């Protein structure tokens, strides 16, 4: 059974809560860590978020998200990079374990070009992140997001990109929703040893209600989150475990009740 | 530009047509090959289908589909296997290039068990197929189908399973919708040389309208079908190219008009 001391609420799971509400919810439910989303940070102001997590003695497991590097024009790519620098600033101010990268898709571009733009973007960002003490977490997304969200789709591919950098600076974020299907997942997790910067759990519902908003609570689908958690631990990761669920029905429910369920399912299924 | 002499209509693209109508449509539009689905064969009777394709001098590129091996009980698995024997009989009668395998998912089962049941199922089917002169085409499906349709999700994985058998008996079916996202696709296609039993094209729409029924006509999405066709040719495949599109809007359109568009897009984008 996963220890509750490792639970982190990824804020998107309770999307209707502000940062202040989510922080208060974590304190009330004994959840020691939180992952913050940038649109929520912007709503509340960075300074207010920094104070809120400090006052509640909450650990910030990640800031979501940087990335989205591929774009058709130099100008757009420069703008994206600027935005990534601001994401690093936010992750630094919040002392987040890492800045999560959803690297961007390939719609409108040959996929090889999009992949090169991702490599170039990480290369341009890495020195700035390092200077500011922020670790870059490359998150491979499920292949069904290759067109619109992430041309990075396997752990192997993320590791290959990360390995151009110091293992303290660039690593991978392993999310069970994105990696569970992979016939090589055990081997790939083992190979990630020393570079695992974050671990996320949720579940894959059958049938899948929606590509983006159809993730389930642990225990409601086919993913063996416990097995994957153990593999990640065997590879040396003992940090926070984020529960990150994009689900329309959960978003429409009362966030406090959702968080109570998250805690229960975490203890039961992770 | 792909030569129209290689075009095969996968019957699911014009799902509202019976076998007789689809055969007549192919003749009218100068499409030399067709892939038949088993529920349509059953509707028409196998003998009528055999006569129809012979009379129209149509080549049958595949019968869709066998597989669906994983099941919770021995009894269900035995029934599935029986059904696969019947699928072999149909493919043999139609002189199809291969029987396409959609191997089955893992809902209700640990994924490792489901994968073992697939291996066991192929092992049980292969001798019967060989005896009847039918080639088994293992089709890796997109990872978003791992839970409910196919635990076989990469070319590597399909090849690994195929390699226990003679290269004349068990091979792979490469469908661009299922493989385009893979960072190793070029290498994997090259490694498939000598075992490619079929090649399917369609497109990945952005945003994806539906997991099952959201495939697009070639040219409407992000897949570089021409590049993949060339890679498959470099690996030695020069057989029929099936256009296989599951799309609700196309199904609701007049099938003859859809087939005309298929021919046009095939010549333009494949």
């Amino acid at each position: 059974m996963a220890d509750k001391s490792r639970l982190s609420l990824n804020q998107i799971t309770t999307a209707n809560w502000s940062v202040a509400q989510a922080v208060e919810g974590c304190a009330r439910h004994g959840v020691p860590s939180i992952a913050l989303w940038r649109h929520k940070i912007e709503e509340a102001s960075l300074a207010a978020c920094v104070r809120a997590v400090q006052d509640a003695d909450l650990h910030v497991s990640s800031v979501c998200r940087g990335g989205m590097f591929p774009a058709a024009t130099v100008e757009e790519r420069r703008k994206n990079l600027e935005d990534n620098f601001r994401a690093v600033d936010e992750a630094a101010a919040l002392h987040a374990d890492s800045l999560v990268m959803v690297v961007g898709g390939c719609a409108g571009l040959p996929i090889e070009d999009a992949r090169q733009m991702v490599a170039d973007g990480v290369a341009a960002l890495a020195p700035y992140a390092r200077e500011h003490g922020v670790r870059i977490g490359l998150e491979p997304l499920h292949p069904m997001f290759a067109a619109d969200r992430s041309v990075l789709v396997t752990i192997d591919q993320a590791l290959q990109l990360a390995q151009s950098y110091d293992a303290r600076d660039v690593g991978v974020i392993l999310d069970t929703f994105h990696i569970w299907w992979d016939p090589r997942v055990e081997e790939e997790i083992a190979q990630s040893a020393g570079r695992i910067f974050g671990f996320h759990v949720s579940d894959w519902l059958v049938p899948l209600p929606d590509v983006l908003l159809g993730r389930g609570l642990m225990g409601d689908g086919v993913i063996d989150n416990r097995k994957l958690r153990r593999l990640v631990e065997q590879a040396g990761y003992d940090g926070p475990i984020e529960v990150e669920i994009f689900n329309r029905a959960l978003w429409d429910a009362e966030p406090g009740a959702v968080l109570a369920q998250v805690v229960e399912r975490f203890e039961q299924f992770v």
Side-chain angles (χ1 to χ4, degrees), chain A:
Chain A
M1 186 168 118
D3 192 317
K4 194 176 162 187
S5 68
R6 294 186 58 199
L7 174 55
S8 176
L9 172 66
N10 185 299
Q11 179 176 24
I12 209 68
T13 307
T14 53
N16 282 328
W17 265 348
S18 66
V19 170
Q21 288 171 317
V23 165
E24 197 276 322
C26 285
R28 190 156 27 96
H29 289 270
V31 175
S33 297
I34 193 165
L36 298 181
W37 277 69
R38 295 188 65 212
H39 65 287
K40 293 287 187 180
I41 296 172
E42 195 181 352
E43 262 173 41
S45 94
L46 178 59
C49 293
V50 169
R51 267 196 315 274
V53 296
Q54 278 177 349
D55 289 351
D57 198 22
L58 267 190
H59 177 77
V60 178
S61 54
S62 73
V63 166
C64 302
R65 56 188 195 201
M68 295 294 165
F69 296 112
T73 67
V74 174
E75 177 57 19
E76 285 173 275
R77 294 200 293 277
R78 198 196 53 73
K79 266 188 167 169
N80 287 346
L81 190 58
E82 273 305 319
D83 188 53
N84 274 283
F85 290 147
R86 299 297 73 78
V88 166
D89 296 342
E90 293 167 22
L94 289 158
H95 301 287
D97 289 345
S98 63
L99 173 62
V100 173
M101 292 281 135
V102 171
V103 299
C106 64
L109 295 164
I111 193 165
E112 299 79 7
D113 294 2
R115 288 189 170 130
Q116 187 57 51
M117 290 175 194
V118 169
D120 294 346
V122 173
L125 187 61
Y128 186 86
R130 190 197 167 101
E131 251 171 56
H132 291 77
V134 169
R135 303 197 303 174
I136 294 177
L138 301 172
E139 182 170 17
L141 258 55
H142 192 285
M144 72 185 171
F145 297 118
D148 47 5
R149 283 187 173 74
S150 175
V151 289
L152 205 58
V153 289
T154 66
I155 303 173
D156 269 342
Q157 199 191 358
L159 275 180
Q160 202 175 353
L161 181 50
Q163 277 156 0
S164 309
Y165 304 91
D166 191 292
R168 289 166 299 189
D169 298 333
V170 182
V172 298
I173 304 288
L174 303 181
D175 182 315
T176 62
F177 184 83
H178 296 308
I179 65 173
W180 74 274
W181 57 271
D182 191 332
R184 297 189 61 253
V185 69
E186 298 200 16
E187 196 177 336
E188 288 172 302
I189 291 176
Q191 286 166 347
S192 306
R195 289 206 189 248
I196 302 174
F197 288 0
F199 180 52
H200 301 178
V201 294
S202 66
D203 216 332
W204 182 283
L205 304 176
V206 179
L208 193 67
D210 183 86
V211 170
L212 186 60
L213 302 181
R215 299 194 203 182
L217 275 165
M218 299 78 73
D220 285 344
V222 301
I223 300 178
D224 190 341
N225 280 291
R226 180 156 298 165
K227 189 190 83 175
L228 293 167
R229 194 252 302 165
R230 286 182 178 144
L231 290 169
V232 164
E233 283 173 4
Q234 281 161 25
Y237 182 76
D238 59 5
I241 301 172
E242 291 183 16
V243 175
E244 184 187 34
I245 308 178
F246 292 73
N247 180 297
R248 175 62 63 193
L250 287 183
W251 289 358
D252 290 341
E254 196 280 305
V258 170
L259 184 50
Q261 245 192 322
V262 161
V263 172
E264 192 188 310
R265 295 300 185 87
F266 183 79
E267 294 189 320
Q268 203 176 347
F269 292 103
V270 184

